[in-house]
Amino acid sequence: MTHEARRRDGECGSSSPDTTPSTAQPLWLQRDFGIFWAAQTLSVFGDSFALIALPLLVLQATGSVARMGLLTAVGSGAAVLAAVFAGVVVDRADRRRLLIACDLVRMVLYGLIPVVWLFGPQLWLLYVVLPLCEAVGTFFAVGYVTVVRSLVGGDRLTEANGRLNATAAAAGVLGPLGAGLVAAWTGPAAAVGVDAASFGVSAACLLLVRFRARPADDRPPERTGLWRDLRTGMSFLYGHPVLRSLTALLFVFSFLTLGLTDLVIYHVKHDLGHDDGTVGTVMACGALGTIAGSLLVARIRRRLGFGRTWTGAVAVCGLAFAGLGWARDVRAVAALGAAFLACVAIAGTCSMSLRQEITPEPLLGRVTSAFWTLHYSAAPIGAAVLTWSAERQGTGPAALVAGCCCAGIAAVALLTPVRNA
């Protein structure tokens, strides 16, 4: 339900053994991973403010869940477009400098919103700033995926991704609570300012991180043309049976679920009649689910294997989604949201870790970029359709149909190579 929901997903290990000495240490004792870990936790803390504040700004000005979904769709469309080019850039650029630049750009762009809002609501600004920030965020997210392996080694990716997701979700508990309180006291625009500041802190932390130098055989590829670079990533995905199936299944899943945050916010405020503070509390409870899923994913995957873990998590996502729109008690909404996000964390972390394990280092940026481009290409349309349906037919029927379709994805996965991955 957040931008970092794009962060996770492959099989037989990297192209060469990882010999990073620090992989023998506990992750929390590794200096560079620890700083990177702290930076991302702070960034997610701020990002969770914007997650609540931007839809509230639209709802406050228009009262329309369809307009909320339109903003989500526009932002996600920009992210999909950026994903087409992000992998090529990440595989060729200095990844540390790229991550820092992305943080600084988002700090400036999000910082414009509370400044302009001092003179009155300007909805057009949201439709400019959010797409730009989502596009820049895609470059950051692809770079983020590629540097984790250089920090911890190939044999600890699931553990590292789980730790990153868990502490990010812990920040996501406080973030929505804080965003709801700030929005209730001073207005949603001020909450966006906290997000802007968090990107500045993240950039400062990244300045202190030392990423492992790429081996000579993992140097950036020669310039061969954009179209050929794009085909390289897509060809790798298509050539691997499990990744090919995952990409197709997640294409449908993202179409169905991208608008869920808007749906929950609208349901809590419009259908159940609660205030901004309650919205923040519900979203914070959802983040608790993400923490639980992120902490448990490595253990569950070791015990059940990738296939059963992934399909089971997606099935529970569908059941939780189906019940969200019909829940009339805010506590039930919070519980179902937590269950949904716990299973998203489990399925997503498994998915990203598998892709990182399989993909050779020189291709990781382009493969990640191709995966996200295909994965999210229909999601903006899905967000608009879901919120439009909720406004016309009600949140209950819209959530029920989408949730049942999500459960169907898990059933279809049992007929694909994902089952025995």
Side-chain angles (χ1 to χ4, degrees):
M1 292 162 71
T2 68
H3 184 281
E4 63 274 3
R6 288 200 292 272
R7 297 179 182 179
R8 322 301 165 226
D9 314 280
E11 189 212 307
C12 49
S14 58
S15 55
S16 61
D18 196 300
T19 57
T20 307
S22 62
T23 57
Q25 293 180 297
L27 289 178
W28 61 274
L29 289 178
Q30 297 181 29
R31 174 194 176 274
D32 293 312
F33 178 76
I35 296 173
F36 182 79
W37 193 354
Q40 296 318 297
T41 301
L42 289 169
S43 180
V44 171
F45 174 78
D47 232 5
S48 59
F49 270 66
L51 170 70
I52 304 297
L54 292 177
L56 286 177
L57 283 172
V58 177
L59 189 60
Q60 184 184 74
T62 68
S64 169
V65 66
R67 293 289 295 272
M68 295 163 67
L70 179 61
L71 180 63
T72 299
V74 170
S76 298
V80 171
L81 181 61
V84 174
F85 309 99
V88 178
V89 173
V90 168
D91 280 340
R92 289 175 174 161
D94 182 308
R95 291 170 179 172
R96 178 169 171 269
R97 292 179 180 176
L98 178 66
L99 294 179
I100 292 170
C102 289
D103 271 343
L104 293 176
V105 169
R106 287 183 290 176
M107 178 187 71
V108 172
L109 289 173
Y110 276 126
L112 288 173
I113 293 175
V115 173
V116 172
W117 241 255
L118 291 173
F119 305 96
Q122 299 291 335
L123 281 180
W124 64 268
L125 182 63
L126 302 182
Y127 288 91
V128 173
V129 167
L130 185 61
L132 290 173
C133 286
E134 288 291 298
V136 173
T138 296
F139 281 87
F140 183 95
V142 174
Y144 167 99
V145 171
T146 64
V147 300
V148 172
R149 187 163 73 184
S150 73
L151 289 171
V152 302
D155 58 338
R156 304 188 71 178
L157 280 169
T158 300
E159 181 186 356
N161 288 328
R163 296 295 182 271
L164 285 162
N165 290 351
T167 52
V173 173
L174 298 176
L177 285 171
L181 293 174
V182 171
W185 292 342
T186 63
V192 180
V194 176
D195 189 24
S198 74
F199 287 120
V201 175
S202 175
C205 290
L206 288 172
L207 284 170
L208 303 175
V209 178
R210 298 167 301 188
F211 294 117
R212 178 168 57 94
R214 299 182 191 178
D217 58 348
D218 283 349
R219 62 187 179 276
E222 298 294 330
R223 298 184 182 278
T224 56
L226 176 62
W227 177 239
R228 183 173 176 181
D229 283 334
L230 294 175
R231 284 191 301 167
T232 299
M234 293 185 181
S235 296
F236 187 89
L237 290 174
Y238 184 78
H240 195 286
V242 177
L243 292 184
R244 181 172 65 242
S245 301
L246 272 177
T247 304
L249 293 168
L250 287 170
F251 171 89
V252 181
F253 185 81
S254 63
F255 175 89
L256 295 167
T257 62
L258 182 64
L260 181 61
T261 297
D262 296 327
L263 193 73
V264 170
I265 292 173
Y266 182 78
H267 183 54
V268 172
K269 288 209 67 174
H270 180 269
D271 297 342
L272 304 183
H274 291 280
D275 60 11
D276 293 348
T278 304
V279 170
T281 302
V282 169
M283 302 302 289
C285 290
L288 288 173
T290 303
I291 295 173
S294 299
L295 291 175
L296 292 172
V297 59
R299 184 180 304 174
I300 295 173
R301 183 182 173 188
R302 281 195 299 268
R303 178 168 297 182
L304 299 181
F306 176 87
R308 284 188 287 178
T309 301
W310 192 89
T311 53
V314 171
V316 176
C317 282
L319 296 176
F321 195 173
L324 271 168
W326 297 101
R328 309 312 299 176
D329 185 276
V330 72
R331 290 170 295 185
V333 175
L336 289 169
F340 178 89
L341 287 179
C343 292
V344 166
I346 291 170
T349 302
C350 281
S351 179
M352 187 179 78
S353 299
L354 183 65
R355 195 178 66 250
Q356 288 170 314
E357 291 158 8
I358 290 174
T359 308
E361 177 71 22
L363 295 178
L364 190 53
R366 282 167 287 173
V367 171
T368 300
S369 178
F371 177 82
W372 280 343
T373 300
L374 297 171
H375 177 180
Y376 286 103
S377 56
I381 299 173
V385 170
L386 178 66
T387 52
W388 178 85
S389 300
E391 189 163 277
R392 296 297 187 277
Q393 306 297 326
T395 54
L400 179 62
V401 171
C404 289
C405 290
C406 288
I409 291 172
V412 172
L414 296 175
L415 306 176
T416 73
V418 171
R419 176 181 179 179
N420 297 316

